[in-house]
Amino acid sequence: AQKVTQAQTEISVVEKEDVTLDCVYETRDTTYYLFWYKQPPSGELVFLIRRNSFDEQNEISGRYSWNFQKSTSSFNFTITASQVVDSAVYFCALSLGTYKYIFGTGTRLKVLA
Amino acid sequence: KAGVTQTPRYLIKTRGQQVTLSCSPISGHRSVSWYQQTPGQGLQFLFEYFSETQRNKGNFPGRFSGRQFSNSRSEMNVSTLELGDSALYLCASSLAGVETQYFGPGTRLLVL
């Protein structure tokens, strides 16, 4: 079965703190894609990053970084020096190339000023 | 490049009515997917269309249907609305379905 688990329902941090959002996935397929999306209060899902199963290189984009580890089936997302504008719900998703995404339940991040 | 657009943005219907939601994908994208988002069930896949053909379908009753037109625009229809159909309906487009999906702003449906 394919599944994405985001165990953290809600996280609150104070501005400028670092925060890591966890994502654990399950699949027996060897080819798959992992994604992170951000959903601000407006509701639109904003694409952040995509990783395929053959690329375990970590990635950094500004204050955002992603750690993909196939050995633990995890694809974690870290925000460094968080800002109030980072407050949103973050979703991790898995795609097996079957034209649908399997989403985790999301982690609500609250960054307090 | 314009993003994915969805109309209408908000809808209020009563039980038993039917509703049609529209989605226009990013220019050049031929795959359109639909998702339902509710507080209790999260993001659930409804169906995906490519070149006017449905290629995958989620576990939703037959009251939920969709179609895609030759210009890749897509519509979804929900007949005999139930209170539980109140949700945010999100449309996403991609080039061919397996790449990154880009989402529209959603249609918020409230069923009274």
Side-chain angles (χ1 to χ4, degrees):
Chain A
Q2 296 85 34
K3 187 179 177 182
V4 175
T5 301
Q6 294 180 258
Q8 304 151 308
T9 304
E10 184 169 314
I11 300 175
S12 290
V13 298
V14 177
E15 209 171 16
K16 297 185 183 178
E17 283 186 12
D18 298 347
V19 58
T20 295
L21 309 182
D22 298 333
C23 173
V24 174
Y25 62 94
E26 293 177 33
T27 180
R28 292 182 180 175
D29 286 32
T30 56
T31 302
Y32 52 88
Y33 302 88
L34 294 164
F35 303 82
W36 276 96
Y37 285 85
K38 173 182 180 180
Q39 187 176 41
S42 61
E44 183 171 344
L45 281 164
V46 178
F47 167 71
L48 295 177
I49 191 172
R50 159 185 154 140
R51 265 286 173 268
N52 70 53
S53 52
F54 301 107
D55 182 5
E56 281 194 81
Q57 280 192 356
N58 293 329
E59 177 150 343
I60 298 175
S61 176
R63 297 184 296 105
Y64 295 170
S65 63
W66 291 269
N67 183 302
F68 176 28
Q69 291 193 332
K70 287 176 71 172
S71 60
T72 56
S73 297
S74 65
F75 186 41
N76 296 335
F77 172 30
T78 297
I79 301 174
T80 302
S82 59
Q83 300 177 0
V84 172
V85 294
D86 296 328
S87 297
V89 181
Y90 291 86
F91 289 93
C92 180
L94 169 68
S95 171
L96 306 176
T98 55
Y99 319 122
K100 75 173 187 180
Y101 282 14
I102 300 160
F103 282 88
T105 50
T107 297
R108 182 178 299 276
L109 174 64
K110 292 184 177 180
V111 181
L112 308 172
Chain B
K1 209 179 221 184
V4 179
T5 58
Q6 292 186 245
T7 56
R9 295 293 311 279
Y10 303 92
L11 264 180
I12 300 176
K13 293 285 187 178
T14 56
R15 280 182 299 174
Q17 287 187 310
Q18 75 165 15
V19 66
T20 299
L21 312 182
S22 180
C23 172
S24 292
I26 292 170
S27 178
H29 285 192
R30 296 170 64 189
S31 168
V32 174
S33 298
W34 289 89
Y35 295 82
Q36 181 196 65
Q37 185 177 24
T38 60
Q41 298 297 317
L43 274 156
Q44 302 278 314
F45 171 76
L46 280 157
F47 27 64
E48 188 264 358
Y49 287 88
F50 179 83
S51 292
E52 303 177 68
T53 299
Q54 185 183 91
R55 296 192 298 189
N56 206 340
K57 187 176 187 304
N59 295 324
F60 279 82
R63 300 185 296 106
F64 292 81
S65 63
R67 59 177 176 169
Q68 186 180 36
F69 302 95
S70 58
N71 61 358
S72 295
R73 190 177 69 84
S74 177
E75 289 181 347
M76 69 162 281
N77 184 278
V78 187
S79 62
T80 318
L81 284 165
E82 300 178 358
L83 295 179
D85 298 333
S86 294
L88 177 66
Y89 290 88
L90 291 162
C91 165
S93 77
S94 66
L95 284 170
V98 296
E99 318 83 354
T100 300
Q101 293 185 353
Y102 295 91
F103 285 79
T107 295
R108 291 190 184 274
L109 172 65
L110 176 62
V111 182
L112 302 176

